[in-house]
Amino acid sequence: MYNRRSFLAGATLAGLAAPAIVRAQGLLRDFPFKLGVAAGDPASDGFVIWTRLAPEPMERHGGMPLTNVPVDWEVATDTGFRDIVAKGTELARPELGHSVHVEVAGLLPDRPYFYRFTAAGERSLRGRARTLPAPGAKVDALKFGVAGCQHYESGFYGAYRHLAREDLAFVYHYGDFIYEYQQDYLFDNGLPIRPVRSYAQRALIDLDDFRGAYAQTLLDIDQQAVRSVHAHLSSFDDHEIRNDWVSDIDNWKMGLDGNDPDAAPPEVFMLKKQAAMQAWYEHMPVRKALLPRGGMVAMNREFRYGDLMAMQLLDTRQYRDDQPCGDGFKPACPEVYAKEAQVLGKAQEEWLARNLAKGGATWNTFAQQVTMMSLDRRRKPDEPKKIINLDSWAGYEAPRERILSRMAGLENCVVLTGDEHQNFCGDLVLKDKVVGAEFVATSISSGGDGTDKRVGTDDWLKLNPELKFANDQRGYVVCEVGREAWQTHFMVVDKVTTPVNTLSKRATGVVENGLAGIKMG
């Protein structure tokens, strides 16, 4: 009997006998752009546009043939693509998961463009990205978003749909795009609840595992929405590989003595890091200069928005010394004050110093991953000693003081941070002098629905007079930057345990030009 199944089987067999390029163009088993499109790393004359061919995203190799596949791309000034200003063809290579990173150049500064891809007779979702103003151009206003920490099992990504509707120049994603483990239970006020959805892999070990985690995350339509309309400045933190990792050290389940027999030795951990960083590169809209080499990614880079803002995107993981005192939330130990300790590493600190010395911007922005304020983390009155987060800058007092000293020689220093799964902001203080402001953005979903305040938040605020605001809901922040003031709006959603949620502005922190402290609006 001749039916649809026998026809498809025959077509597949015929395709296997055909040249590889013909198979790729004519017989992909499904729509190849299921992971959407994205743009990133904008410049004044262009940006990166990204996609990955994956007709069956959760299958090995994304359901793609193991051959190079040509992908056509177009950039236009209009949504109908009547005015095409750039186009070309890029090969999607199986060695890179059939991902495509096109570095578009030759565009006009400070304006929106639209882009799309075509492969195997199929056309992608349309994307949008905006170029930066020309270097040194007089700019009076900038609006951008900050987001990250999106544990797939803890909640839906409805906050991203709200972020996609914002009118923004770009989004800084501070990391934790995926998480490296599957959980059986989450907890709400100490009681077990089921995850709202489950990761496909129990744990991530090799390249296929990491590719699967990114693919599953990118199948989320709200995630695709925000990436399709805003260029992203992509970073990574710890969960892209392993909780609290630094350098070549696997810190999973570190004990009080800093030793764990289950942690991978450095030479083994670096094999996993190479796989994790390759998968990160394959799924992020970043330039080819960030392709991993020996497990290392040159992630720190600078973005300048005319003469208004210079943003230094920092890497606080790859060059950092091991956390002192066995990691965790504990009282400080002598290692916290070690003068030779590193967070950024010597080379990155020197790179940062050179960039800051250029001047030429009203606002100096440090986009990074872990909290820079040295906060007393006690939330119970019976805890006798100051408790700090050893995975933050507070665990490395000497390099923390070095970077604060650099801020003291500048004006209008603003630090943007994630990692904490809560909103808070406060002043950066060096020897009783306020030298900068730090805004910590909450998570997209990690931590579940949350509440307005965690238990003990009022006591926490009293212990830390530099803190101006704290909140335990999910969402993102929007930064409105002008010549006279910087405003950070803390945007929160009512819940993440349902796909659709309600957005509201919880608070606004304001830094006035020439005044380092934060005022709450």
Side-chain angles (χ1 to χ4, degrees), residues 15-33:
L16 288 173
I21 197 68
V22 175
R23 294 204 310 273
Q25 290 179 333
L27 288 174
L28 293 186
R29 289 169 288 189
D30 210 333
F31 181 62
F33 298 106

Side-chain angles (χ1 to χ4, degrees), residues 121-134:
E122 300 275 8
R123 180 167 287 165
S124 74
L125 181 72
R126 183 185 68 218
R128 176 188 179 277
R130 190 177 188 94
T131 52
L132 300 183

Side-chain angles (χ1 to χ4, degrees), residues 143 158-168 171 222 225-226 229-230 476 478 500-503:
K143 187 177 180 182
Y160 273 143
R161 186 153 294 266
H162 295 295
L163 184 58
R165 294 189 178 107
E166 302 270 7
D167 183 14
L168 306 175
V171 169
D222 295 327
V226 73
V229 297
H230 299 316
Y476 55 88
V478 170
V500 179
N501 50 36
T502 301
L503 182 74

Side-chain angles (χ1 to χ4, degrees), residues 120-400:
E122 300 275 8
R123 180 167 287 165
S124 74
L125 181 72
R126 183 185 68 218
R128 176 188 179 277
R130 190 177 188 94
T131 52
L132 300 183
K138 188 177 186 300
V139 177
D140 293 325
L142 162 65
K143 187 177 180 182
F144 67 96
V146 182
C149 286
Q150 48 191 69
H151 187 229
Y152 185 84
E153 297 182 328
S154 294
F156 295 98
Y157 295 165
Y160 273 143
R161 186 153 294 266
H162 295 295
L163 184 58
R165 294 189 178 107
E166 302 270 7
D167 183 14
L168 306 175
F170 56 82
V171 169
Y172 165 54
H173 192 289
Y174 58 75
D176 290 348
F177 195 93
I178 61 168
Y179 279 67
E180 78 280 20
Y181 52 81
Q182 184 187 86
Q183 291 187 250
D184 297 307
Y185 300 98
L186 302 174
F187 292 88
D188 180 19
N189 294 320
L191 298 176
I193 59 174
R194 292 293 184 191
V196 299
R197 48 190 181 176
S198 295
Y199 272 125
Q201 289 92 358
R202 185 72 176 173
L204 307 181
I205 301 298
D206 60 16
L207 179 57
D208 283 339
D209 293 337
F210 285 103
R211 281 175 173 169
Y214 281 100
Q216 187 174 15
T217 299
L218 285 169
L219 283 169
D220 184 282
I221 193 61
D222 295 327
Q223 176 76 81
Q224 288 193 26
V226 73
R227 281 170 50 112
S228 71
V229 297
H230 299 316
H232 276 54
L233 311 184
S234 300
S235 179
F236 52 77
D237 194 17
D238 54 344
H239 289 291
E240 281 86 358
I241 307 176
R242 184 72 119 164
N243 183 52
D244 285 4
W245 73 272
V246 293
S247 185
D248 60 356
I249 300 168
D250 177 357
N251 274 331
W252 186 245
K253 299 178 183 176
M254 295 299 281
L256 290 174
D257 60 356
N259 296 308
D260 177 16
D262 291 330
E267 64 273 15
V268 174
F269 177 73
M270 286 300 290
L271 296 175
K272 176 184 283 190
K273 183 171 180 282
Q274 168 67 30
M277 289 292 91
Q278 178 175 338
W280 177 85
Y281 173 82
E282 289 174 353
H283 295 87
M284 294 297 112
V286 295
R287 295 184 182 272
K288 294 172 184 176
L290 274 67
L291 181 70
R293 289 169 173 81
M296 302 297 290
V297 174
M299 193 264 283
N300 55 294
R301 51 216 198 270
E302 181 186 49
F303 298 90
R304 287 187 170 248
Y305 201 83
D307 68 345
L308 185 62
M309 184 188 74
M311 175 181 281
Q312 313 302 325
L313 204 162
L314 304 179
D315 179 349
T316 61
R317 287 286 167 192
Q318 290 191 104
Y319 311 107
R320 196 200 309 185
D321 291 331
D322 195 10
Q323 290 92 341
C325 322
D327 199 7
F329 288 70
K330 300 172 187 174
C333 60
E335 290 89 335
V336 167
Y337 306 98
K339 292 184 178 180
E340 69 277 7
Q342 296 287 342
V343 172
L344 302 179
K346 188 174 184 293
Q348 189 178 185
E349 276 199 34
E350 293 173 351
W351 167 88
L352 176 62
R354 290 193 298 272
N355 287 349
L356 296 176
K358 295 175 187 175
T362 301
W363 298 93
N364 293 289
T365 307
F366 304 77
Q368 48 105 57
Q369 296 78 37
V370 294
T371 302
M372 196 169 286
M373 287 179 281
S374 183
L375 298 174
D376 189 337
R377 300 291 180 145
R378 287 178 290 179
R379 290 178 185 263
K380 298 177 183 178
D382 58 346
E383 293 177 299
K385 293 182 179 180
K386 177 180 179 179
I387 292 182
I388 60 175
N389 178 2
L390 295 168
D391 189 52
S392 73
W393 283 85
Y396 304 80
E397 189 56 33
R400 193 181 85 88

